[in-house]
Amino acid sequence: MIGSSVVFRTRSWIVLFLGLLTTASPAAFAAECPGHPDALGTSRTLVVDPHEHPRIGTMQYRETLPLKDHEVVLTFDDGPLPKNSNQVLKILADECIKATFFIIGEQAKANPEGVRKLVAAGHTVGTHSMNHPLTFNKMPLDKAEAQINGGIEWTSAAMTDPSKLAPFFRIPGLMRAEGVENLLISRGIQVWSADFPADDWRHISSDRVYQLAMQRLEAKGKGILLLHDIQARTVAALPKIIHDLKARGYRIVHVVPATADRPATPTTAVEWLLHPPTETTPIARWPVVPNFVFTQTATLPAPGLADLNTQTAHLPLLLPRKTMAQADVAATLAAPGRELFAIPEGSVEVLLSTTLSRRAATRLAMAAEAPQAGKGKAGRVQARRTAHAAPKHAAQAKSATPRPTRLATSVKKRA
């Protein structure tokens, strides 16, 4: 009974200890950094399987690393270059930060000791081609393969234990090409892009490198940061970047490849998206609808006339022309004659069709309806006014045999 109680208490302490580890803050991990109690540290190690997720980095691909909010992966390209790479190593060591380095074969060949320092410090080492050509997107596949093999060969040769080389590859300049990516994936090599860069390869100040890194990280909320350990501006900006990461509550994640003895970290497919959709977040587009496979392709017959439940007299209004012809229920009307549209020239209708003749037509109509005026002076004045208003129209209106004409022609002549 006593033994059972001891075992129970021991298990309880173990569970409590594991719980503290999983919920520990960055400060707790920093306590593992001797001599630097305020170090940022590395919050956790993420194990990935290149076969399951062969392309990562939302700058070019749909998926990225399955990071939680405010988690960052630091990556460095183009090294090692002793003058600057060693300073980057010292800055990371003082903060107990683990990062991922993509090595150029020529640099490893010229400075194998720099590669061994990375491995000894516990960083992940991948490759970045033999001599960093910016033509991977258009070079022949055999030349691209030679670049890939050269980088792997010389980086592995610089290591005491070649098995420490991670199957991670970043295409120089991120000049992606489908053939190159398929080649890498077929060999079990994971293709890395990034989620945001700091533009430290450009001729900008170290302060600008720091600003871009933090601004873009804040916009994303998490992700893979692309830097270059060969640049002096990166060496100057890195301490300020790390300082702000600590101040803003960010955590560093170390990424390593899965092996037979180290299985991949359990994740779900949606975690590999930078911003997974949730039930409370509206989406900007409809989700992709899968293709349906119908169980049968038989079609139903078209309804007959009896199914319409209507009278034959109304069929011309309900059925299209082709259906009416087939049903033999179509009714035709006689076409109107041309004389129906003819209007006598000089009539009131013609005069009213033009703006300039409306007043004259009105006066003509009034004169026809009014009784004959007296023979006095007033009558003669009124007659002259009427005659001056529309002499031609009056003569045409009194014509015994009006000549038929089309409305459009008459309007055109008098307009």
Side-chain angles (χ1 to χ4, degrees), residues 73-77 99-100 102 170 192 224-228:
V73 173
L74 297 183
T75 64
F76 296 88
D77 288 4
T100 301
F102 294 92
R170 180 175 275 160
W192 280 55
I224 306 169
L225 173 60
L226 171 59
L227 297 168
H228 295 77

Side-chain angles (χ1 to χ4, degrees), residues 46-67 73 75 100 102 167-171 174 176 181 185 189-196 223-224 255-256 271-274:
L46 176 65
V47 185
V48 299
D49 186 348
H51 295 90
E52 294 180 357
H53 301 275
R55 300 178 180 90
I56 58 172
T58 54
M59 283 184 67
Q60 294 175 297
Y61 307 118
R62 179 175 180 268
E63 290 189 334
T64 189
L65 292 172
L67 303 176
V73 173
T75 64
T100 301
F102 294 92
F168 299 161
F169 185 87
R170 180 175 275 160
I171 299 175
L174 303 182
R176 64 170 300 186
E181 294 172 3
I185 293 170
I189 300 175
Q190 191 174 47
V191 184
W192 280 55
S193 180
D195 292 317
F196 52 95
I224 306 169
V255 184
V256 298
E271 292 181 80
W272 291 79
L273 304 177
L274 185 64

Side-chain angles (χ1 to χ4, degrees), residues 348 350-364 393:
V348 176
V350 174
L351 294 175
L352 289 175
S353 64
T354 60
T355 304
L356 297 178
S357 302
R358 289 175 184 171
R359 183 176 298 176
T362 303
R363 290 179 178 177
L364 183 63
H393 303 312

Side-chain angles (χ1 to χ4, degrees), residues 278-284:
T278 64
E279 294 182 358
T280 58
T281 303
I283 58 177

Side-chain angles (χ1 to χ4, degrees), residues 89-107:
L89 270 178
K90 179 67 167 58
I91 295 171
L92 297 179
D94 290 344
E95 296 288 342
C96 290
I97 292 174
K98 298 294 186 290
T100 301
F101 290 80
F102 294 92
I103 306 300
I104 292 179
E106 286 185 345
Q107 300 282 52

